[in-house]
């Protein structure tokens, strides 16, 4: 069985550096942390869990509370969290809040009862309440959406800017009646994507219309209904910005039911680059978010906070990129 000395030798650092890196100390250079994690993974090094737990008086378990386990965006975040946690001997318990504040609250209670070492959470809405975690000084990191009225380590994507760029792309392709199907009001990502859409229209001095906007749950069924409503109008949209990949399935279904072809008849850009996006005909233009990186950065921040819960909170904002495919072109 590999020892901490073996890891130090493989990484070319001292055993003290290995210890600090594996315990998430913020004073360790990120390059050294990466070398240590790689060495630990290669050697199959497992920290002495029971001894460490006695020192910390907690389980070597992290709770990850996500909004929707069926959404590939959140499963990719979970993989990023798990990879980082596993490399330093932590296990991850995945909790699916399903965009439901009551379920989220129950999982927060479970995290406290089980004395987890820390929590990563994607808040469901403005009703998210983490007071019990904060009062118990449980290390906490928010992902995708900031905690309402609370300051914590947070990992976000600049989706407002990404939505603006996606809408600008549709304008540049000559679409004139661009609509937006986004999530519920009060959910930060849904609000930001709608705001970015409106930013692009205003900047282009383009006449937008409230009739071309729909809010619904971040699900296929809701997007299907919303898209059908838009298409049944006297002046339906000739392009759509869609807030996530599950909703994109609903939009594509509604377009097919109306005998409309993506791109040629109605331009479509959706958030998140899922595996099937490049396989549909025409391939789907997407806003690709760095979901795995969100998870890995969040896990690193949580480990650092476990090591030092008095450090100042930070906000990390990552970028997204447009992947231009056939669904946003008329030909």
């Amino acid at each position: 069985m590999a020892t901490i000395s073996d890891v130090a030798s493989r990484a070319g650092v001292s055993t003290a550096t290995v210890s600090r890196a594996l315990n998430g100390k913020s004073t360790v250079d990120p390059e050294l942390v990466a070398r240590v994690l790689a060495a630990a993974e290669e050697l199959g090094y497992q920290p002495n869990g029971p001894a460490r737990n006695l020192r910390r008086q907690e389980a070597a378990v992290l709770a990850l509370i996500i909004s929707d386990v069926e959404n590939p965006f959140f499963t990719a975040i979970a993989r990023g969290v798990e990879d980082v946690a596993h490399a330093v001997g932590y296990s991850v318990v995945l909790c699916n809040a399903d965009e439901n504040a009551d379920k989220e609250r129950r999982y927060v209670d479970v995290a406290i009862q089980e004395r987890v070492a820390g929590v990563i959470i994607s808040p469901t809405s403005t009703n998210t309440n983490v007071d019990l975690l904060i009062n118990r000084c449980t290390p906490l990191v928010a992902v995708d959406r900031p905690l309402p009225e609370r300051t914590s380590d947070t990992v976000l994507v600049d989706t407002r800017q990404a939505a603006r760029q996606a809408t600008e792309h549709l304008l540049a392709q000559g679409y004139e009646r661009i609509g937006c199907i986004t999530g519920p009001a009060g959910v930060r990502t849904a609000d930001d994507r709608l705001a970015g859409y409106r930013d692009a229209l205003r900047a282009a001095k383009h006449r937008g219309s409230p009739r071309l906007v729909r809010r619904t749950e971040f699900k296929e069924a809701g997007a299907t209904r919303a898209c059908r409503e838009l298409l049944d109008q006297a002046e339906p949209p000739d392009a759509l910005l869609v807030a996530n990949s599950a909703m994109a399935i609903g939009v594509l279904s509604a377009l097919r039911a109306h005998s409309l072809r993506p791109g040629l008849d109605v331009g479509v850009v959706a958030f998140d680059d899922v595996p099937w996006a490049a396989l549909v005909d025409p391939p789907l233009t997407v806003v690709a978010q760095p979901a795995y990186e969100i998870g890995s950065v969040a896990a690193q921040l949580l480990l650092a906070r476990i090591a030092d819960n008095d450090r100042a909170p930070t906000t990390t904002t990552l970028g997204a990129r447009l992947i231009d495919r056939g669904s946003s072109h008329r030909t």
Side-chain angles (χ1 to χ4, degrees), residues 135-302:
N135 292 343
R136 294 175 66 93
C137 297
T138 302
L140 180 66
V141 175
V143 294
D144 187 47
R145 313 160 185 176
L147 287 166
E149 301 179 359
R150 285 291 187 179
T151 301
S152 71
D153 288 315
T154 306
V155 185
L156 307 173
V157 174
D158 190 352
T159 57
R160 180 168 182 165
Q161 178 63 18
R164 174 173 180 160
Q165 292 172 348
T167 307
E168 290 172 343
H169 169 73
L170 289 168
L171 287 167
Q173 305 313 310
Y175 296 104
E176 297 179 352
R177 296 185 309 280
I178 302 172
C180 178
I181 299 178
T182 190
V187 177
R188 171 68 176 269
T189 47
D191 293 346
D192 281 354
R193 288 165 199 183
L194 179 58
Y197 157 82
R198 288 172 170 162
D199 290 344
L201 296 182
R202 278 195 300 268
K205 295 182 172 55
H206 192 279
R207 184 174 61 86
S209 169
R211 293 191 299 274
L212 295 179
V213 173
R214 289 292 185 277
R215 284 185 179 271
T216 184
E217 66 270 22
F218 280 118
K219 300 283 187 179
E220 176 185 346
T224 301
R225 291 192 301 270
C227 188
R228 286 174 177 169
E229 289 176 8
L230 290 171
L231 295 175
D232 287 340
Q233 295 183 137
E235 292 188 339
D238 64 357
L240 289 168
L241 175 66
V242 187
N244 75 9
S245 60
M247 299 171 89
I249 295 173
V251 167
L252 295 176
S253 175
L255 291 178
R256 175 173 292 185
H258 282 71
S259 299
L260 296 171
R261 185 171 170 80
L264 182 64
D265 300 312
V266 180
V268 180
V269 178
F271 271 76
D272 300 326
D273 188 25
V274 289
W276 57 261
L279 303 178
V280 295
D281 182 25
L284 186 65
T285 297
V286 298
V287 176
Q289 300 187 92
Y292 180 89
E293 186 180 358
I294 293 171
S296 61
V297 170
Q300 291 164 12
L301 287 171
L302 187 60

Side-chain angles (χ1 to χ4, degrees), residues 81-164:
V81 171
E82 201 273 340
D83 282 353
V84 171
H86 174 76
V88 294
Y90 282 88
S91 298
V92 178
V93 175
L94 180 62
C95 308
N96 176 40
D98 206 26
E99 299 286 0
N100 182 300
D102 290 335
K103 284 185 70 175
E104 180 184 71
R105 195 155 37 245
R106 287 199 296 272
Y107 280 128
V108 167
D109 290 342
V110 169
I112 291 170
Q113 293 164 11
E114 297 300 321
R115 300 181 63 84
V116 299
V119 174
I120 296 173
I121 185 170
S122 172
T124 59
S125 68
T126 54
N127 294 322
T128 292
N129 190 327
V130 292
D131 288 349
L132 290 175
L133 291 172
I134 292 172
N135 292 343
R136 294 175 66 93
C137 297
T138 302
L140 180 66
V141 175
V143 294
D144 187 47
R145 313 160 185 176
L147 287 166
E149 301 179 359
R150 285 291 187 179
T151 301
S152 71
D153 288 315
T154 306
V155 185
L156 307 173
V157 174
D158 190 352
T159 57
R160 180 168 182 165
Q161 178 63 18
R164 174 173 180 160

Side-chain angles (χ1 to χ4, degrees), residues 19 78 237 243 257 300 329:
S19 178
Q300 291 164 12
H329 294 267

